[in-house]
Amino acid sequence: MNFNFTEEQLMIQQAARDFAQRELIKDVIERDEKAEYPTQHVKTMAELGFLGMLVDPRWDGGGMDTVSYVLAMEEISKVDASCSVIMSVNNSLVCYGLEAFGNDVQREKYLKPLARGEKIGAFLLSEPEAGSDATRQHTLAEDKGDYYLVNGTKNWITNGNTAGTYLVIAQTHPEKGHKGINCLIVDRNSEGISVGPHENKMGMRSSDTHSVMFTDVKVPKENRIGEDGFGFKFAMKTLEGGRIGIAAQALGIASGALERAVQYAKERKAFGTVIANHQAIAFKLADMAVKVENARNLCLKAAWLKDQHLPYGVASSYAKYYAAEIAMEVTTQAVQIHGGYGYVKEYHVERLMREAKLTQIYEGTSEIQQIVISRDLLKD
């Protein structure tokens, strides 16, 4: 790994930092309280090229590398994880899945507007009875010859209401188990789709999370990605890259909390001096800093491996597991360092702590990452 960032990577990092620190910070608390979707900020992210960063310019994307993506995700997540999860899903799951596994007709029709940010995408995998165990798909896509008839319910869908394009994982051949699953590209405006109410969440409240119901939705056969039965493999391969995005998000949440804790410790006085001069606080900050740096290195390693076209699946699990765990720990310590001020909204760290929790749960819980890592360790 080369730890020297290129000029382009540093420019992308700075652009993301400026956007977060100048724009997102202005209304992040208010949007969190109201659970209000960041419509204008998403438009700005599209203008900055952040919604199709990894897509080849041939398909109207930014053609950037995964390291640049991690750098941008960290900076945006320091301020607002609701915006960064919108960015992550569109990049890591939807655009990546279409570019890597779709055909040219699908890329032309669906990937291009997603990469330009003209449309937002959603990845529909989780169900009421299929979370960590993604093989238990109850949403059915019945093969009707030249089209599929889709029925079922998807849960916890980021961009569920605002997305224009859905990637839907559904069971076509129940007798084949996970080998009978397909991924279908579904237009949000298709007849038979209904969207549940906005989920009243603990954190990332400004992001758009809904259940999506399908009732006799017709999907053309040409909207299937890959060969018949490729859907489960598609989901697992796509999630490998998605975990790099969520790892970078967790890193950003942690590093944002650390920055605020350091600044507060240098300003707050107790017992005749700023609290940074008390060993109990200084050592706590040192411990937080080491863990943030370790998480950053794991994220960058996974990103670098992906950019080098080397196996990165296990590395992404290392990064996602560790970054999510330290995000929860570091944000909790940041609240502690702030004392009573940490418990109120205007100091931001209580929100960062609430946002950190979700990184341990979605796109593969911490326990799922431990399964991936341990199986790799114990394989013959």
Side-chain angles (χ1 to χ4, degrees):
M1 286 176 62
N2 184 352
F3 286 88
N4 294 315
F5 297 130
T6 66
E7 183 177 344
E8 181 182 6
Q9 289 167 342
L10 291 173
M11 288 175 61
I12 293 165
Q13 181 186 47
Q14 187 62 52
R17 181 181 297 136
D18 289 345
F19 167 61
Q21 300 293 337
R22 294 176 184 176
E23 301 299 328
L24 294 181
I25 195 67
K26 293 177 182 178
D27 61 349
V28 64
I29 293 175
E30 180 181 3
R31 282 187 289 104
D32 175 74
E33 289 178 343
K34 295 180 178 179
E36 182 179 293
Y37 186 76
T39 303
Q40 185 55 51
H41 297 311
V42 172
K43 289 180 181 178
T44 303
M45 286 196 293
E47 292 167 1
L48 292 169
F50 289 154
L51 296 183
M53 293 183 70
L54 305 175
V55 178
D56 191 294
R58 176 186 177 190
W59 308 112
D60 293 348
M64 303 176 205
D65 61 8
T66 316
V67 169
S68 297
Y69 174 55
V70 166
L71 295 175
M73 279 291 295
E74 179 184 357
E75 292 300 327
I76 291 172
S77 302
K78 284 180 182 180
V79 176
D80 187 1
S82 290
C83 278
S84 69
V85 72
I86 295 167
M87 173 179 162
S88 178
V89 168
N90 206 67
N91 275 286
S92 298
L93 299 182
V94 182
C95 285
Y96 171 77
L98 281 166
E99 184 172 22
F101 303 108
N103 57 45
D104 282 357
V105 174
Q106 293 167 344
R107 294 180 188 118
E108 183 72 33
K109 183 175 180 180
Y110 296 104
L111 178 57
K112 279 188 171 182
L114 289 164
R116 293 192 297 264
E118 293 172 1
K119 286 188 176 181
I120 296 294
F123 186 79
L124 285 69
L125 174 63
S126 294
E127 297 186 0
E129 296 181 26
S132 293
D133 184 0
T135 63
R136 298 186 64 190
Q137 294 293 307
H138 290 265
T139 296
L140 290 176
E142 296 179 74
D143 191 337
K144 295 295 186 179
D146 58 349
Y147 68 91
Y148 291 99
L149 194 66
V150 181
N151 286 278
T153 299
K154 294 294 185 178
N155 272 20
W156 319 117
I157 305 305
T158 301
N159 303 335
N161 192 45
T162 53
T165 301
Y166 291 156
L167 297 189
V168 181
I169 309 298
Q171 180 63 263
T172 301
H173 309 286
E175 71 281 2
K176 295 183 180 180
H178 72 278
K179 294 182 179 180
I181 294 172
N182 282 303
C183 178
L184 307 178
I185 308 167
V186 181
D187 190 315
R188 161 68 174 85
N189 295 318
S190 300
E191 186 177 351
I193 294 177
S194 57
V195 177
H198 187 282
E199 299 289 355
N200 189 11
K201 298 171 295 181
M202 173 181 174
M204 301 193 203
R205 293 171 50 77
S206 184
S207 70
D208 187 24
T209 308
H210 297 259
S211 292
V212 180
M213 287 70 73
F214 298 86
T215 304
D216 291 337
V217 178
K218 290 184 177 181
V219 181
K221 203 66 157 291
E222 59 264 28
N223 280 28
R224 185 186 71 208
I225 296 180
E227 297 298 318
D228 191 18
F230 180 67
F232 182 74
K233 187 175 181 180
F234 169 88
M236 295 302 101
K237 288 302 230 180
T238 302
L239 284 170
E240 284 183 355
R243 284 167 185 159
I244 297 176
I246 300 306
Q249 180 186 59
L251 165 63
I253 292 168
S255 60
L258 174 62
E259 288 178 3
R260 291 186 177 279
V262 168
Q263 187 61 38
Y264 182 81
K266 290 159 70 173
E267 296 172 353
R268 172 70 170 173
K269 290 185 177 181
F271 304 104
T273 186
V274 294
I275 62 173
N277 290 333
H278 296 298
Q279 191 177 81
I281 300 299
F283 281 14
K284 196 184 293 286
L285 291 169
D287 188 54
M288 294 159 68
V290 170
K291 290 173 179 175
V292 168
E293 188 63 18
N294 283 339
R296 183 174 290 114
N297 288 336
L298 285 172
C299 289
L300 290 172
K301 179 181 179 181
W304 180 83
L305 287 170
K306 187 171 183 288
D307 287 337
Q308 301 304 309
H309 307 290
L310 296 170
Y312 63 89
V314 176
S316 72
S317 285
Y318 271 88
K320 203 272 186 182
Y321 171 63
Y322 185 77
E325 293 299 304
I326 69 100
M328 197 68 242
E329 182 179 341
V330 168
T331 55
T332 301
Q333 293 288 25
V335 171
Q336 188 71 19
I337 289 169
H338 279 74
Y341 291 106
Y343 206 65
V344 298
K345 294 183 183 297
E346 66 182 287
Y347 283 78
H348 294 278
V349 287
E350 65 83 29
R351 175 176 48 80
L352 291 172
M353 185 175 74
R354 289 187 283 109
E355 291 176 338
K357 187 60 197 173
L358 187 53
T359 67
Q360 294 177 305
I361 297 172
Y362 67 175
E363 292 200 31
T365 64
S366 288
E367 291 75 17
I368 290 294
Q369 307 315 316
Q370 288 175 309
I371 290 172
V372 173
I373 294 165
S374 61
R375 283 179 178 171
D376 181 69
L377 288 172
L378 299 171
K379 69 183 178 183
D380 292 333

